[in-house]
Amino acid sequence: MAEEKIIIFDTTLRDGEQAPGASLSITEKLEIAQQLAILGVDVIEAGFSVSSPAQFEATARVAEQVIGPTIAGLARANEKDIEAAGKAIAKAKKRRIHTFIATSPIHMKYKLKKNSDEVLKMAVEAVKYAKTFTNDVEFSPEDACRSDMSFLIEILTAVIEAGATTLNIPDTVGYILPYEYGRIIAQLKSNVPGIDKCIISTHCHNDLGMAVANSLTGVRNGARQVECTINGLGERAGNAALEEIVMAIQTRADFFGKDKAKPLTTNINTKQIYKTSQLVSRLTGFVVQPNKAIVGANAFAHEAGVHVDGILKERTTYEIITPESIGLGSSRMVLGRHTGRHGFVDRCKQLGFKLTEQEIEHTYQRFLEIADKKKEVFEEDVATIINDEIRVVVEKIYELEYLRVLIETEKAPTATVKIKSKEGIKEASAEGDGPVDAAYEAIREATGQSPKLESYSIKAVTGGKEALGEATVRIKQNGRTYIGRGVSTDIIEASAKAYVDAINRMVSINDKGTEPELKVEL
Ligand code: KIV
Ligand code: ZN
């Protein structure tokens, strides 16, 4: 039986990066884009090129270097934006311009200050101009779900005539409910002349927690492209989570393929899902909540006795998808020193990591250090170690050579650090409100850097008192956020490493004079 593909349009690097606090460097974007290609997404929306030179450069580098997916550039419906998007994606083998303009009464009146005739004209001109850069043009009526149906039909008919090949129906503010979204897609499908020649796409925000449900209802009603992001990143409450969309389509093939000659599938290699989720979490600094569907730490954990008993008798009693299907081995699989180099490399491969000899050397040494401290090393630990070791490296301007923290009851904690830099080793001691605060104060003194600490979080990678701790810090200087990470079996050491990592990122970017991101209002 032939299958029908759902096009997976990943917008982690564009809508995802619009999440407050999620700013990625050009190299980090490239690293994510390469992984998205391995994951098998069909389209990567690489950026909003007109918004800053860094956005332009990131999109252009993705277009030039990432092979496989179509590379899309976002543009408002004006010549300047479209030209920037067109130039940025020019080197991609398969390229798309995604142009949009708001169509809801509220957006047209207050934001655009234009009437519907003017908006329609701009949309048509934008699509025609985009066609001069590529044949593959997507049009989005922004805030479609709060727009008048008759105007939606009119504008979509006009952009199809102008050459649009994909029609995206965004629920920009996450307002709509699944039943209503399905009805909008069905109405457009039956009432817009020429729509059968185009792909209908979903783009749903999660303000009411409906993004995935809405997208899937869209699919059920005829949409054949889903716009989504890894871990559901995106503006405000985020976008539809790619991993949830893909696993729902795969797990419920019976539902999506029902009364159809062709079952629905995607091109996603689901075994790369966990790895991609971890990478995006690490680079954006957005920790995945433990109870997150598919990729959360508890997604395959069974606690209640009756559940564990059921699982041991027959897995399918309480598990509708397997950890292996998203690239995790049986998540309780334990490694240790006895695993050996060969076993370690084998496990890395199973987790979807293709490491160079040098990366294997670094990560294996680190694994041995951790295995010495921690009796049981889980696959999640291995993924964390690898991601920490092979994360896009910035110059290690400062290195944490030594850390001692003293905690005494009824006294303020004190920390002493030794920081190595090209000027030599500098020692500093400081007091703080808590041990991490004391360590950070000492690091500030030893490095001479004093960025504002925006946020700090620590998570245990797996359970148990010897769990690997992964700290994430966000610091801010001159309006730009830098994210640092540190991993250790000691949480204070992980926190100190994360802080030094963030400072290194800040100093190396400032040294290179990289321009701060200009966030342009959409
Ligand atoms: O949410 C939205 O409407 C968007 C558009 C730019 C497609 O992100
Ligand atoms: Zn959006």
Side-chain angles (χ1 to χ4, degrees):
M1 200 188 333
E3 303 163 339
E4 191 172 358
K5 290 275 182 218
I6 298 295
I7 298 167
I8 297 294
F9 177 116
D10 182 280
T11 183
T12 307
L13 298 179
R14 200 278 297 167
D15 210 309
E17 211 223 3
Q18 281 172 221
S23 79
L24 294 162
S25 70
I26 295 172
T27 26
E28 287 170 336
K29 281 187 186 167
L30 200 56
E31 190 180 354
I32 291 177
Q34 300 283 19
Q35 178 56 30
L36 289 172
I38 295 171
L39 177 67
V41 307
D42 302 285
V43 185
I44 295 177
E45 187 163 55
F48 182 34
S49 309
V50 84
S51 67
S52 73
Q55 283 269 346
F56 183 93
E57 176 70 14
T59 310
R61 296 257 298 269
V62 170
E64 194 176 354
Q65 295 177 32
V66 179
I67 310 297
T70 296
I71 308 301
L74 184 72
R76 287 168 298 191
N78 66 58
E79 284 198 1
K80 188 168 170 243
D81 278 35
I82 294 169
E83 196 178 326
K87 284 185 175 158
I89 58 165
K91 293 212 169 128
K93 276 224 168 69
K94 294 183 277 174
R95 52 187 176 275
R96 173 181 298 184
I97 291 181
H98 175 192
T99 185
F100 71 98
I101 189 162
T103 50
S104 63
I106 192 165
H107 275 232
M108 290 193 290
K109 180 171 175 194
Y110 295 106
K111 189 179 84 171
L112 299 177
K113 299 190 174 37
K114 294 202 184 301
N115 63 36
S116 52
D117 289 345
E118 291 168 304
V119 166
L120 188 136
K121 188 163 173 278
M122 285 172 76
V124 168
E125 280 168 6
V127 170
K128 284 189 179 155
Y129 188 50
K131 288 295 261 193
T132 64
F133 294 90
T134 170
N135 222 9
D136 186 348
V137 175
E138 172 169 334
F139 174 74
S140 290
E142 191 192 8
D143 203 15
C145 296
R146 294 191 299 168
S147 304
D148 290 337
M149 181 47 82
S150 56
F151 183 48
L152 268 187
I153 293 174
E154 194 186 347
I155 200 166
L156 292 178
T157 308
V159 294
I160 294 173
E161 274 169 19
T165 44
T166 298
L167 304 173
N168 183 37
I169 311 301
D171 179 21
T172 304
V173 291
Y175 173 75
I176 213 78
L177 301 175
Y179 174 77
E180 297 170 304
Y181 191 71
R183 198 173 47 186
I184 292 174
I185 300 293
Q187 281 178 347
L188 292 174
K189 199 167 158 52
S190 0
N191 291 302
V192 176
I195 202 163
D196 288 340
K197 296 193 298 270
C198 301
I199 297 287
I200 305 176
S201 170
T202 68
H203 179 111
C204 300
H205 279 272
N206 207 29
D207 301 65
L208 293 175
M210 303 286 164
V212 169
N214 284 341
S215 309
L216 292 172
T217 314
V219 167
R220 181 74 177 166
N221 282 278
R224 287 296 174 264
Q225 171 177 288
V226 177
E227 301 199 354
C228 46
T229 58
I230 302 296
N231 300 336
L233 277 185
E235 281 273 3
R236 308 177 308 279
N239 212 296
L242 179 147
E243 59 280 5
E244 296 176 25
I245 299 281
V246 169
M247 293 314 287
I249 292 174
Q250 177 171 304
T251 310
R252 295 304 311 275
D254 61 322
F255 176 80
F256 289 103
K258 205 164 133 193
D259 56 55
K260 276 196 177 57
K262 295 179 179 174
L264 300 182
T265 56
T266 70
N267 283 325
I268 297 296
N269 174 0
T270 62
K271 292 209 152 97
Q272 291 288 336
I273 284 180
Y274 181 72
K275 184 182 168 201
T276 315
S277 159
Q278 288 286 302
L279 178 73
V280 169
S281 164
R282 203 150 275 115
L283 295 185
T284 55
F286 277 50
V287 175
V288 177
Q289 76 197 56
N291 58 327
K292 164 88 181 61
I294 317 296
V295 289
N298 292 349
F300 300 100
H302 303 278
E303 187 83 29
V306 66
H307 287 207
V308 175
D309 182 53
I311 284 279
L312 291 174
K313 287 181 177 137
E314 167 56 46
R315 204 173 188 172
T316 53
T317 49
Y318 287 99
E319 237 172 47
I320 58 160
I321 52 177
T322 62
E324 290 85 354
S325 62
I326 62 150
L328 267 176
S330 164
S331 55
R332 298 294 98 196
M333 207 75 89
V334 180
L335 293 86
R337 271 198 158 266
H338 59 273
T339 307
R341 189 184 158 97
H342 185 74
F344 173 77
V345 174
D346 210 51
R347 203 59 68 87
C348 295
K349 278 194 198 136
Q350 281 170 25
L351 287 169
F353 291 97
K354 284 196 194 99
L355 302 178
T356 63
E357 267 311 308
Q358 203 188 13
E359 285 167 346
I360 290 175
E361 200 41 53
H362 283 149
T363 45
Y364 184 58
Q365 287 313 322
R366 187 77 189 281
F367 163 73
L368 290 179
E369 280 167 31
I370 304 277
D372 271 345
K373 292 188 190 157
K374 205 173 176 293
K375 284 184 216 86
E376 295 174 316
V377 182
F378 296 102
E379 288 183 339
E380 292 93 325
D381 295 324
V382 174
T384 305
I385 297 167
I386 297 173
N387 280 315
D388 192 48
E389 280 297 317
I390 66 174
R391 179 172 179 228
V392 179
V393 202
V394 286
E395 205 189 328
K396 285 195 174 155
I397 297 162
Y398 301 110
E399 270 183 79
L400 181 70
E401 278 275 298
Y402 170 86
L403 168 71
R404 193 189 59 187
V405 177
L406 220 69
I407 310 173
E408 285 179 81
T409 35
E410 289 172 22
K411 277 194 180 161
T414 56
T416 302
V417 297
K418 285 185 191 164
I419 299 283
K420 192 167 135 195
S421 72
K422 63 175 186 302
E423 270 99 50
I425 292 182
K426 191 152 178 206
E427 185 173 324
S429 296
E431 278 189 358
D433 290 340
V436 174
D437 188 44
Y440 283 14
E441 188 51 48
I443 292 169
R444 280 194 284 272
E445 219 176 293
T447 57
Q449 304 288 343
S450 44
K452 183 171 172 286
L453 181 67
E454 278 213 311
S455 69
Y456 159 82
S457 65
I458 180 104
K459 74 162 192 185
V461 177
T462 49
K465 65 180 171 30
E466 270 146 359
L468 211 53
E470 186 182 22
T472 305
V473 297
R474 264 165 222 275
I475 58 174
K476 199 164 187 175
Q477 200 182 52
N478 300 333
R480 199 183 163 125
T481 303
Y482 306 87
I483 297 162
R485 270 163 227 95
V487 175
S488 170
T489 45
D490 181 288
I491 55 170
I492 317 270
E493 185 178 270
S495 309
K497 281 182 167 175
Y499 196 50
V500 173
D501 183 42
I503 291 178
N504 277 332
R505 280 163 204 280
M506 176 185 87
V507 175
S508 61
I509 287 176
N510 287 349
D511 280 356
K512 291 189 188 88
T514 309
E515 299 199 31
E517 283 290 288
L518 267 181
K519 293 255 177 184
V520 170
E521 288 296 308
L522 288 184

